[in-house]
Amino acid sequence: MVSYKELGLVNTRAMFAKAVKGGYAIPAFNFNNMEQLQAIVKACAETKSPVILQVSKGARNYANQTLLRYMAEGAVQYAKELGWKRPQIVLHLDHGDSYELCKSCIQTGFSSVMIDGSALPYEENVALTKKVVRYAHRFDVTVEAELGVLAGVEDEVASEESHYTKPEEVIDFVTKTGCDSLAISIGTSHGAYKFKPEQCTRDPKTGKLVPPPLAFDVLKQIEKKLPGFPIVLHGSSSVPQEYVDIINTYGGKLPDAVGIPEEQLRKAAKSAVCKINIDSDSRLAMTAAVRKVFNDKPGEFDPRKYLGPARDEMEKLYKHKIVNVLGSNGKA
Ligand code: G3H
Ligand code: 13P
Ligand code: ZN
């Protein structure tokens, strides 16, 4: 058993309490490789933002769970080298799908886990979440649960239909399970195609899709039922159109990719939403930068020469999210 505390990591408890009170949200960035992790740590160290490093199923399949956990341990040391005296870094399992997986992450140094029982019938979601919470709390590891279903097209997290979280269920769910935070469904979804064109209007000037607003009324009702309780938003990439345009200009094909407008995320961050998950935007930043290098310098074959610019672009993106969208700068 390796405790996250020995690795210099923290759980989400104090972080979330402070964020809910302060009207900002903690960034939860997924990482799969060294460049993403370097960019995240640098952005957070420079802005003094607390951060949640997320490991998904796709990341574990790609990079290996053990390697990712050692990278997170390295991230704490790297943050200190960058002058961040007491780094506020959480290592979090994203979309855990079983008790066994949560247990193995807790035993190897994760400080937070998500048990995603959102696709299960209500009572089964309650039972599974409760079992994970009971185990996790023995080690002071915090647990995120989910109620409601997000629509999406992500590799490993796919659902045809979305179902908003039912406000009338949240008190019962949180009381019975003892979870520390709750991911809800109010219209966000995973990936770079969050809405079908027929769900959007089109800006006559740019021809770009304008997505429908999130269900803030549902969020409000949930907040009323659970005052001060930490709420999580998945699927919160905004799919920056500058990246989509660069990708499409340099040989990519992402027609009608659309995300959640940043003003809406800013509004959510001021509420009880205290964790905002962003993965796709980092993928887009990286892809745009790599495609541009390949276009501008066809003779380049040193990975450092295209992954380096990709890393710089991701760092810029993370800082932008922290400072201009979530408001978590200076909070660590
Ligand atoms: O929640 C979904 C994340 O974007 C991770 O997706 O399993 O393809 O890494 P992934
Ligand atoms: P995006 O696909 O919108 O970045 O969402 C990521 C996410 O929710 C990870 O759990
Ligand atoms: Zn997610």
Side-chain angles (χ1 to χ4, degrees):
M1 171 84 200
V2 181
S3 166
Y4 67 87
K5 294 178 185 175
E6 293 158 31
L7 311 181
L9 297 161
V10 298
N11 70 19
T12 58
R13 198 166 289 118
M15 208 180 253
F16 283 171
K18 218 176 133 194
V20 173
K21 258 199 187 152
Y24 62 92
I26 312 289
F29 296 133
N30 290 69
F31 79 106
N32 296 263
N33 60 30
M34 183 188 73
E35 285 76 10
Q36 267 179 323
L37 188 60
Q38 286 175 316
I40 295 169
V41 174
K42 240 178 135 211
C44 294
E46 281 177 25
T47 57
K48 292 287 175 296
S49 169
V51 66
I52 297 171
L53 300 173
Q54 305 204 125
V55 172
S56 70
K57 184 172 182 174
R60 294 195 311 280
N61 289 343
Y62 176 74
N64 179 279
Q65 182 178 314
T66 309
L67 185 55
L68 291 168
R69 108 89 172 114
Y70 278 96
M71 286 169 75
E73 184 179 349
V76 175
Q77 299 313 319
Y78 179 46
K80 287 182 183 166
E81 265 180 40
L82 293 172
W84 193 4
K85 285 202 183 79
R86 250 167 273 116
Q88 296 287 296
I89 301 178
V90 172
L91 177 60
H92 175 76
L93 169 67
D94 192 23
H95 293 285
D97 57 2
S98 70
Y99 171 75
E100 289 69 28
L101 173 59
C102 291
K103 194 172 162 182
S104 98
C105 286
I106 292 164
Q107 287 180 346
T108 54
F110 281 60
S111 58
S112 173
V113 292
M114 175 187 192
I115 179 68
D116 183 356
S118 60
L120 298 172
Y122 181 80
E123 289 303 339
E124 286 176 40
N125 188 2
V126 168
L128 176 61
T129 304
K130 198 172 162 179
K131 192 173 168 193
V132 171
V133 169
R134 195 177 304 138
Y135 185 79
H137 283 183
R138 280 172 52 197
F139 304 98
D140 203 18
V141 167
T142 37
V143 179
E144 175 184 326
E146 180 163 338
L147 255 189
V149 179
L150 270 65
V153 289
E154 198 79 43
D155 296 351
E156 303 285 353
V157 190
S159 168
E160 277 296 301
E161 257 185 275
S162 81
H163 305 282
Y164 289 162
T165 305
K166 295 182 186 139
E168 63 274 20
E169 286 181 348
V170 297
I171 296 180
D172 183 68
F173 186 84
V174 164
T175 313
K176 280 187 179 154
T177 62
C179 64
D180 300 283
S181 59
L182 185 66
I184 61 165
S185 171
I186 55 165
T188 63
S189 62
H190 295 106
Y193 294 89
K194 301 199 185 292
F195 303 97
K196 297 189 183 95
E198 52 274 26
Q199 294 175 285
C200 305
T201 52
R202 227 175 251 280
D203 182 326
K205 271 194 208 141
T206 60
K208 296 278 186 191
L209 294 177
V210 180
L214 297 178
F216 279 101
D217 53 325
V218 175
L219 172 60
K220 232 187 217 158
Q221 289 177 53
I222 293 171
E223 281 191 271
K224 240 191 197 165
K225 303 259 183 202
L226 298 174
F229 191 80
I231 301 297
V232 176
L233 278 193
H234 281 247
S236 298
S237 278
S238 45
V239 187
Q241 292 301 301
E242 3 6 322
Y243 292 144
V244 173
D245 289 343
I246 294 171
I247 291 169
N248 288 340
T249 302
Y250 297 118
K253 210 174 183 185
L254 295 176
D256 286 341
V258 66
I260 311 296
E262 288 184 339
E263 318 80 80
Q264 295 196 33
L265 297 169
R266 222 172 277 136
K267 183 173 164 186
K270 292 195 173 114
S271 72
V273 169
C274 63
K275 172 176 181 265
I276 291 193
N277 287 13
I278 296 170
D279 185 7
S280 298
D281 284 355
S282 157
R283 298 178 181 194
L284 291 166
M286 186 169 210
T287 304
V290 170
R291 278 199 179 274
K292 186 156 184 347
V293 174
F294 285 164
N295 177 78
D296 295 350
K297 300 176 186 163
E300 192 53 74
F301 70 102
D302 178 346
R304 293 169 298 187
K305 299 283 166 53
Y306 50 86
L307 294 178
R311 184 173 62 189
D312 294 345
E313 199 54 55
M314 288 188 285
E315 185 187 332
K316 207 169 98 191
L317 168 90
Y318 294 132
K319 280 185 185 156
H320 165 69
K321 296 286 177 184
I322 288 166
V323 174
N324 301 316
V325 185
L326 310 188
S328 59
N329 48 306
K331 308 293 186 191

